[in-house]
Amino acid sequence: MITLTGLQKVYQGESGIVTALDNVSLAIEQGEIFGIIGKSGAGKSTLIRCINLLERPTAGRVIVDGQDMTALSERELREARKSMGMIFQHFNLLSSRTVLENVSFPLEIAGVSRNEREKKVIPLLELVGLADKRDVYPAQLSGGQKQRVGIARALASQPKVLLCDEATSALDPQTTESILALLKDINKKLRLTIILITHEMHVIKAICDRVAVIEGGHLVETGKVFDVFTNPQSLTAQDFIKTVVNNKVPEALSAVLSKTPTAGGNLVVRLSFFGEATNEPVIAGLIRKFAIDVNIISGNIDHLQDIPYGTLLMELSGNEKDTEAALHYLQDLDLRTEVIGYVARHAHAAS
């Protein structure tokens, strides 16, 4: 559906040349929700604005639905942009127009008659849950309602692609959740391709199928959300995931932890469970099979795209032979086992 090849964007700043995007290439499939995450200044907003050529790339190609956007004339580009809706962090509504008139505005610009505009817009207001707000002005709406108007307006021209630039950043957590649920519903009902820019990993976790991680104008990682969450390859992705998955080793444990085995020491491991493995009685199996004690330090279970995902930090205490055998047993199971370190037996990590 969308292919970016060798995308580069260079600005002339006050202190010299600034490279906002550097050789970015990725492919986005029809009908998926694709997330692009990065810290402030990483280049993610520049990237999304290059897709509809609100920013013209310095180099590279942007192919949308088989059409090379970078090769179009200004007139052709205006026409092509009709297939791409866009919503923004700060809504950008017209304060002097009602909800109905705000949503109708793109159709008015396109020369659609008043009657036809209303026929197209009323179903959109129903879709975003604002049918009863058609004659209300933006000043009378909550932040979430304003963003729903923005979404309806972006859908007015029946686009194939919806670009979301930090669409939930100005909203409180509960409202963010409702807007993300709406976007997911729209994606399912309209088979719309959604590209979502954010700096919040919980947004990616909530609705995206795949994600690209951008840092300093470079794509540092791309993959299915589940794969990136459960096995992040880049430091940037790892940092983002820490904000929503608590894998941190407690400070009290870190203070007594050694990376090398200690005589008579206990082994500290982290287990990561996926899918059906979350239902397996791993701890009970360890205790039955080996002469060891198991102390659970911390643990949690969450869901990624309806797939159970859990982590468990625990301490194995026993003689060296039994502890090693228990570790090999864990490593042979359908889960990820990570050796965190060793702690002197008298220290007891769990305490």
Side-chain angles (χ1 to χ4, degrees):
M1 175 63 179
I2 298 174
T3 304
L4 310 180
T5 307
L7 210 62
Q8 184 183 52
K9 180 62 181 179
V10 176
Y11 297 99
Q12 181 62 52
E14 292 181 3
S15 57
I17 292 176
V18 176
T19 302
L21 297 174
D22 191 5
N23 195 32
V24 172
S25 297
L26 59 84
I28 299 168
E29 298 174 7
Q30 166 69 36
E32 74 174 333
I33 304 178
F34 192 95
I36 300 173
I37 190 167
K39 299 173 184 176
S40 296
K44 56 188 184 296
S45 289
T46 300
L47 177 57
I48 200 171
R49 291 170 67 86
C50 281
I51 293 175
N52 61 5
L53 262 71
L54 289 178
E55 297 274 2
R56 183 168 286 275
T58 306
R61 301 177 71 200
V62 179
I63 310 295
V64 179
D65 201 21
Q67 191 171 40
D68 187 349
M69 301 289 288
T70 56
L72 301 181
S73 66
E74 285 302 316
R75 183 184 63 79
E76 291 170 330
L77 191 55
R78 285 193 296 272
E79 188 64 28
R81 284 194 185 117
K82 293 178 182 178
S83 68
M84 290 181 281
M86 191 166 188
I87 59 176
F88 306 88
Q89 177 181 354
H90 297 296
F91 322 130
N92 295 346
L93 303 182
L94 300 170
S95 60
S96 61
R97 290 179 174 243
T98 65
V99 166
L100 179 69
E101 291 167 342
N102 265 281
V103 178
S104 301
F105 189 64
L107 300 175
E108 182 181 338
I109 295 297
V112 178
S113 70
R114 184 183 183 89
N115 286 341
E116 284 301 311
R117 293 200 302 266
E118 207 162 301
K119 286 180 184 178
K120 290 177 180 288
V121 167
I122 288 176
L124 292 177
L125 293 180
E126 292 172 353
L127 178 65
V128 301
L130 292 178
D132 60 334
K133 302 291 184 182
R134 55 171 287 170
D135 297 319
V136 168
Y137 289 89
Q140 300 168 275
L141 300 175
S142 67
Q145 289 170 335
K146 289 176 182 177
Q147 192 56 285
R148 288 171 181 268
V149 176
I151 293 170
R153 180 182 57 190
L155 297 176
S157 57
Q158 297 180 302
K160 298 176 182 177
V161 178
L162 183 62
L163 306 176
C164 307
D165 190 2
E166 298 280 11
T168 60
S169 294
L171 305 175
D172 62 73
Q174 186 175 359
T175 306
T176 292
E177 188 176 327
S178 70
I179 293 298
L180 293 177
L182 174 61
L183 290 174
K184 193 168 185 177
D185 184 55
I186 288 169
N187 167 258
K188 185 177 180 180
K189 287 179 177 176
L190 305 182
R191 294 303 300 159
L192 199 63
T193 303
I194 297 178
I195 303 173
L196 197 152
I197 296 291
T198 185
H199 64 273
E200 299 169 305
M201 201 64 183
H202 71 89
V203 171
I204 300 293
K205 175 177 173 285
I207 66 168
C208 292
D209 301 305
R210 290 193 298 139
V211 61
V213 184
I214 188 169
E215 182 65 39
H218 298 269
L219 282 186
V220 295
E221 189 164 354
T222 305
K224 294 181 179 178
V225 169
F226 187 86
D227 294 338
V228 173
F229 258 86
T230 56
N231 190 25
Q233 300 298 303
S234 65
L235 289 175
T236 304
Q238 291 169 22
D239 286 343
F240 276 118
I241 289 166
K242 287 175 184 176
T243 64
V244 291
V245 177
N246 182 21
N247 276 340
K248 187 177 180 180
V249 176
E251 289 184 11
L253 173 56
S254 296
V256 296
L257 200 63
S258 169
K259 290 295 183 183
T260 55
T262 58
N266 297 341
L267 177 64
V268 180
V269 297
R270 179 190 287 124
L271 306 181
S272 297
F273 305 79
F274 316 105
E276 292 300 320
T278 56
N279 297 319
E280 295 298 320
V282 175
I283 305 301
L286 275 177
I287 296 171
R288 282 199 306 268
K289 292 176 181 292
F290 307 100
I292 61 170
D293 292 324
V294 179
N295 291 322
I296 296 175
I297 302 168
S298 64
N300 67 282
I301 294 180
D302 203 344
H303 286 78
L304 295 173
Q305 298 170 338
D306 298 325
I307 301 174
Y309 165 56
T311 59
L312 189 65
L313 187 64
M314 63 187 188
E315 176 188 12
L316 307 184
S317 176
N319 67 49
E320 185 176 348
K321 181 180 178 181
D322 286 329
T323 302
E324 283 298 314
L327 177 61
H328 290 311
Y329 167 77
L330 291 172
Q331 291 171 335
D332 289 339
L333 296 177
D334 186 23
L335 46 82
R336 184 176 297 117
T337 304
E338 178 186 0
V339 175
I340 302 299
Y342 303 83
V343 63
R345 187 159 296 168
H346 70 273
H348 285 298
S351 62

